[in-house]
Amino acid sequence: MRVALRHRSGCLLLCLGLSLVTLLLQSLWVPTEPTHDKTAGRSPEEQSQQSHRLHRLAVRLEALSTQVQRLSSERDDVHLNRKDLSLLLHRFRQDQQGLAHLVEQELQKVSQKLDQLSHHHHHHHQADTPHNDDRPHQGPGEKCEVPKDPAYPVCAEKVKFLQTLWQSDPCYAFYGVDGSTCSILTYLSQIEDFCPPQVGRNYSSLPWHQKPLSHPHKADIRDTLRPLYEVISNNSSSPVIRFIRSRVERMSERWKRAGQRWKQSSNETVPLMKVLLFPGALAGSVGQRFEAMVNRGGPLGELVQWADLSGCLTILGHDVTFSTSQHRLRSLIGAAPGRGSCPIQRPLTFDLIYTDYHGLAHLQGAMGLAFQHYQCRFRILDSFGTEPAFNLGTYARSRGYETQWGSWSLHPLQYMTMFPHSPDNSFLGFVSEEAVKDEEPGSESSKKDKIAVVYGKQEYMWQGKSKYLEVISEELETHATVYGPPGHASSLPSFIRNHGLLSQEDFLQLLQRTKVFVGLGFPYEGPAPIEAIALGCVFLQPQFDPPHSSENSDFYKGKPTTRQITSQHPYAEQFIGKPYVWTVDVTNRTAVQQALRTILSTEVKPFTPQEFTCGGMLERLHGYITQQNFCSKSVPTWPPESALRGHLGPLGQSCVSVCQRSALLCEPALFHHLNTPAAFTRLGLDCSSTVQDVNHLFPSYNPWGRHCGLQQEPLLFSCAGSDPSHRRLCPCRAHLSAQMPVEPDCI
């Protein structure tokens, strides 16, 4: 159930909350009398700084409150829609945690001040007697000077920070900080690396720093998934965990057969990798909301991918740990007690961590400074992809590419997608369900009924599609699997036979009998159409004219991609096509009728693209594990330069499009071979000027003025991105016919 929030009401509630906090802070903003300086343990300058901090915080909240009031007052003149309010709430949430910590700290200091004043009032005759308080102090006989070392330029700044805020997170005390300068310097030199090693103290390398990985064991192909069953709870009441385990069990025989074939065809020895799988979308409050959606027909695509990734890694012989618990995550990575301000206690024991955007936030909140040190080991399951322009934080903020997602400044290939959306990211994929192989064509069990099943488990997906569905119902008995809560009156057309929300097994049995799987236009790019085609169905889907993108689709707004979606399932349209996939204008009755009649007169056998088989996923994931190394700063050597086919694109086209026009794929790892003045010369371009800059369109050529641009930031090498004034230099490579998104040299 959705509860609608009126825009004016939402703004007024925000204003009220902000005003109350502001008044509280302003009431606390009173200067302390100088006569109490000695008791408080602070100089007048320190008291003045505290006073100013409170004042600035109050002013900051008051300004935010004023902004909310202004937006509310303009409600009648300016259309403040749900997007505006959501953006405002998002910005407020971004600042909320920091504000809460500041409020907590300042209130704690004020409380301590009042306690000290009260203590002084009752015991002023003992003013010369030392008091036990929480003020920063030094140990007996200790006197530590803050070193001035050019190699550690922020040491003094960090010391001042901790002198004031060392109590803001219990992790500092856990590491021995007690407020004294000596303890702070010890922490900043032995736990963090902001200060130089202290003279006369035992010093070792930072305890959490990466140590050379030793792999005494090799990864041997397994013939069982039993190790995975042991790490995925069998008795969990979570519906998402039950779904993942059920899928792994259902596909176990296929995984084992694929593993044996791989073992026979490959004699390569691979080090055993310790791998952590942490689906952040299934953890904490976000996970609870996700589970609630799953029980009501919500998305299962992410769960399909997590199940298949875990099965694939297990068969490949790696050591897999699976967790959806934030508390267990902290234990697994060795996080210090507290709120995550400090680094982890020990070197990270996992060679690879597969997570998602939510999991990245959890990891950052638990790892502190160690997050950046180990981020090269992260792999992000990212269904729709993240383009380089959105990934590099400084660039995204300065060029207008900042969204709710992105800005983590990882290597773009660390993002792993469900379909090969863009070569800038790594295509992980999943494994499609398949028809039983021993069935003979024409056998009773393989025959199709004259029925259609509509792809859409929630009623809102059906809105505006009645006429389209009427045409289908004239030719085929039309079925649905739409969730309906008890007592809910269905709004589906009367000619639809609704089975309600089916289990995955029952849904697959229904598809076994189905002739046509009908797309409604949403959800975008899910696994179900691929599985329907693998079970012998024909997928009928709407075309989008104009294409859907972040410019005109609420779903894609805020997603870190500029892709233009020409149909509900672009992969099925482009890489599979007829007779398995028909993309039509669903508003054209005649076009839909003609497509249906052709489909009904054509016998279509089950078809699974190689990249969506168990063998294809084993092959692909093995290639990534052995070839991708984002912890190395060296120039990529895979794929080799021999795979490069350089192309100069026309104005306004991305390298994805340029390479596709020549039946090739854009390969971002080969960009550095084109990022030289010699590359322009080889293509016959006469540059009047050559500039090196941070621009996700470079290397490229501007014919107006004959300006040539070279890329300065390797993280911005991008197959995506286009501009009417740029001709892009594109690194293309050949497809592999059996598995198009994979480079031939990696297999």
Side-chain angles (χ1 to χ4, degrees):
M1 174 181 178
R2 290 184 177 177
V3 180
L5 175 65
R6 293 179 59 192
H7 302 129
R8 183 181 293 277
S9 300
C11 289
L12 290 176
L13 286 172
L14 274 176
C15 288
L16 180 60
L18 289 169
S19 298
L20 287 173
V21 177
T22 305
L23 288 172
L24 173 62
L25 289 170
Q26 288 174 336
S27 68
L28 294 173
W29 179 53
V30 289
T32 309
E33 293 183 13
T35 56
H36 303 302
D37 291 341
K38 184 176 180 180
T39 306
R42 297 181 187 273
S43 68
E45 290 79 10
E46 289 175 314
Q47 293 171 4
S48 177
Q49 289 175 1
Q50 175 178 309
S51 176
H52 285 307
R53 279 197 302 272
L54 279 170
H55 178 56
R56 287 199 303 270
L57 186 57
V59 170
R60 188 177 180 185
L61 281 169
E62 190 171 14
L64 189 55
S65 177
T66 302
Q67 183 184 6
V68 176
Q69 291 172 341
R70 178 181 58 78
L71 287 172
S72 179
S73 66
E74 294 174 355
R75 175 65 181 88
D76 296 332
D77 300 321
V78 180
H79 182 58
L80 184 63
N81 56 29
R82 184 178 299 174
K83 177 176 176 292
D84 298 324
L85 186 56
S86 297
L87 182 60
L88 181 62
L89 286 168
H90 175 64
R91 288 175 179 170
F92 180 72
R93 290 191 195 103
Q94 284 184 321
D95 213 25
Q96 183 180 19
Q97 187 176 9
L99 289 172
H101 285 168
L102 284 172
V103 171
E104 181 183 357
Q105 292 158 15
E106 296 303 335
L107 288 178
Q108 185 181 31
K109 291 171 187 174
V110 170
S111 177
Q112 292 172 356
K113 180 78 73 176
L114 292 174
D115 290 342
Q116 292 163 2
L117 290 174
S118 175
H119 190 268
H120 175 73
H121 176 74
H122 291 292
H123 302 281
H124 64 276
H125 60 283
Q126 300 175 353
D128 294 331
T129 303
H131 294 275
N132 293 324
D133 55 31
D134 292 325
R135 67 184 180 221
H137 61 277
Q138 297 173 350
E142 283 191 294
K143 184 176 181 181
C144 295
E145 297 290 336
V146 178
K148 296 180 180 179
D149 187 334
Y152 298 87
V154 297
C155 180
E157 179 184 338
K158 291 292 182 179
V159 170
K160 288 182 180 178
F161 172 82
L162 282 181
Q163 284 174 336
T164 304
L165 294 175
W166 71 274
Q167 291 178 309
S168 64
D169 193 322
C171 72
Y172 295 119
F174 172 80
Y175 277 125
V177 176
D178 60 9
S180 67
T181 303
C182 292
S183 68
I184 291 171
L185 285 171
T186 300
Y187 170 81
L188 289 175
S189 63
Q190 293 189 1
I191 304 300
E192 297 190 6
D193 53 1
F194 293 112
C195 292
Q198 293 177 285
V199 178
R201 289 185 179 269
N202 292 329
Y203 179 77
S204 60
S205 62
L206 300 180
W208 48 271
H209 259 198
Q210 179 180 356
K211 294 181 180 178
L213 296 175
S214 59
H215 295 282
H217 303 292
K218 301 298 181 182
D220 294 323
I221 298 296
R222 291 191 177 97
D223 58 4
T224 177
L225 287 169
R226 190 175 297 112
L228 180 58
Y229 299 147
E230 294 173 0
V231 299
I232 300 180
S233 174
N234 189 30
N235 301 315
S236 174
S237 59
S238 165
V240 296
I241 299 300
R242 288 201 306 269
F243 176 91
I244 290 173
R245 181 177 175 105
S246 172
R247 180 176 175 87
V248 171
E249 289 176 338
R250 187 172 63 253
M251 304 185 73
S252 61
E253 291 303 317
R254 290 175 57 197
W255 277 120
K256 286 188 262 186
R257 289 196 299 269
Q260 290 307 306
R261 287 193 297 269
W262 176 258
K263 189 174 185 177
Q264 293 168 6
S265 64
S266 173
N267 56 5
E268 183 181 0
T269 58
V270 179
L272 185 148
M273 308 289 275
K274 291 195 66 177
V275 184
L276 172 62
L277 305 184
F278 180 68
L282 307 183
S285 59
V286 174
Q288 293 172 359
R289 292 196 295 272
F290 192 97
E291 287 187 2
M293 288 193 299
V294 167
N295 286 329
R296 292 169 173 78
L300 296 176
E302 290 90 342
L303 304 186
V304 166
Q305 204 171 23
W306 281 109
D308 294 351
L309 172 63
S310 61
C312 190
L313 286 167
T314 303
I315 289 295
L316 286 173
H318 298 295
D319 182 359
V320 175
T321 301
F322 187 102
S323 178
T324 60
S325 164
Q326 291 174 253
H327 177 74
R328 188 170 180 231
L329 173 70
R330 296 181 63 87
S331 173
L332 288 168
I333 64 175
R339 303 190 185 99
S341 301
C342 306
I344 55 180
Q345 302 175 53
R346 59 175 186 266
L348 193 64
T349 57
F350 295 101
D351 303 297
L352 292 171
I353 295 181
Y354 288 84
T355 187
D356 51 25
Y357 267 121
H358 296 286
L360 270 180
H362 290 309
L363 284 163
Q364 187 185 50
M367 295 182 75
L369 187 67
F371 177 82
Q372 290 185 334
H373 184 76
Y374 286 110
Q375 66 182 23
C376 61
R377 301 190 191 183
F378 301 156
R379 304 293 184 268
I380 316 306
L381 270 64
D382 175 18
S383 296
F384 299 95
T386 298
E387 293 175 8
F390 296 86
N391 167 62
L392 188 62
T394 53
Y395 187 80
R397 287 187 287 274
S398 64
R399 301 294 183 95
Y401 290 101
E402 188 175 27
T403 67
Q404 181 180 356
W405 312 106
S407 296
W408 287 91
S409 301
L410 304 176
H411 192 293
L413 288 173
Q414 289 178 258
Y415 299 99
M416 312 196 84
T417 58
M418 184 169 290
F419 291 97
H421 303 309
S422 166
D424 293 320
N425 305 141
S426 296
F427 162 52
L428 177 63
F430 60 96
V431 175
S432 174
E433 300 279 0
E434 291 182 354
V436 179
K437 295 296 185 183
D438 56 6
E439 290 180 353
E440 293 294 330
S443 66
E444 193 65 29
S445 59
S446 68
K447 286 183 178 178
K448 293 292 186 178
D449 296 334
K450 198 176 179 181
I451 66 174
V453 170
V454 179
Y455 178 29
K457 294 180 291 184
Q458 294 183 310
E459 287 188 5
Y460 75 89
M461 300 175 184
W462 294 60
Q463 294 175 5
K465 302 296 188 298
S466 296
K467 292 183 179 179
Y468 167 46
L469 294 171
E470 282 177 8
V471 179
I472 294 171
S473 68
E474 292 170 3
E475 302 287 343
L476 296 155
E477 183 181 294
T478 309
H479 295 238
T481 58
V482 176
Y483 167 79
H488 172 72
S490 175
S491 62
L492 300 182
S494 58
F495 54 79
I496 299 293
R497 181 181 172 186
N498 186 20
H499 298 262
L501 194 61
L502 297 177
S503 68
Q504 190 70 2
E505 290 79 3
D506 291 339
F507 179 64
L508 294 173
Q509 288 181 9
L510 177 61
L511 289 183
Q512 291 272 18
R513 302 190 295 116
T514 299
K515 179 66 177 176
V516 183
F517 192 53
V518 179
L520 295 171
F522 192 84
Y524 298 112
E525 305 178 287
I530 305 302
E531 298 192 322
I533 294 167
L535 294 169
C537 304
V538 174
F539 181 47
L540 178 68
Q541 66 166 343
Q543 72 177 27
F544 297 151
D545 188 16
H548 290 191
S549 69
S550 59
E551 298 295 323
N552 58 13
S553 166
D554 288 338
F555 180 84
Y556 281 105
K557 282 179 182 174
K559 292 202 166 40
T561 177
T562 59
R563 284 195 304 130
Q564 303 282 318
I565 310 302
T566 56
S567 64
Q568 181 175 355
H569 208 294
Y571 172 86
E573 176 188 11
Q574 178 183 349
F575 288 96
I576 301 179
K578 296 177 182 178
Y580 308 100
V581 180
W582 288 72
T583 305
V584 297
D585 177 4
V586 298
T587 64
N588 185 328
R589 181 184 181 90
T590 302
V592 176
Q593 286 176 328
Q594 290 177 347
L596 285 170
R597 289 166 186 167
T598 305
I599 291 169
L600 290 173
S601 64
T602 305
E603 182 181 351
V604 175
K605 296 180 181 180
F607 170 70
T608 305
Q610 171 66 15
E611 50 261 41
F612 293 103
T613 64
C614 287
M617 190 169 184
L618 283 171
E619 185 176 67
R620 194 164 56 249
L621 192 58
H622 170 80
Y624 292 148
I625 290 174
T626 57
Q627 301 288 350
Q628 290 183 337
N629 180 5
F630 304 114
C631 298
S632 171
K633 301 301 181 184
S634 61
V635 175
T637 59
W638 177 78
E641 188 175 2
S642 59
L644 174 64
R645 305 289 182 270
H647 284 254
L648 177 66
L651 291 169
Q653 282 202 11
S654 70
C655 284
V656 173
S657 300
V658 170
C659 295
Q660 282 179 351
R661 287 173 54 205
S662 300
L664 300 171
L665 287 177
C666 178
E667 177 52 71
L670 297 172
F671 260 116
H672 65 279
H673 295 298
L674 295 178
N675 196 44
T676 64
F680 292 101
T681 304
R682 286 195 300 268
L683 291 168
L685 299 174
D686 180 21
C687 303
S688 64
S689 65
T690 301
V691 62
Q692 191 171 31
D693 199 0
V694 177
N695 190 319
H696 74 287
L697 300 173
F698 287 179
S700 66
Y701 176 72
N702 186 333
W704 291 281
R706 298 182 288 111
H707 300 299
C708 297
L710 298 176
Q711 182 59 258
Q712 185 175 322
E713 172 52 70
L715 287 181
L716 282 177
F717 282 136
S718 176
C719 290
S722 61
D723 186 272
S725 63
H726 288 273
R727 298 184 67 185
R728 301 202 56 197
L729 269 66
C730 301
C732 305
R733 64 164 171 85
H735 285 280
L736 180 66
S737 58
Q739 189 171 187
M740 287 178 284
V742 177
E743 163 60 36
D745 298 271
C746 83
I747 295 175

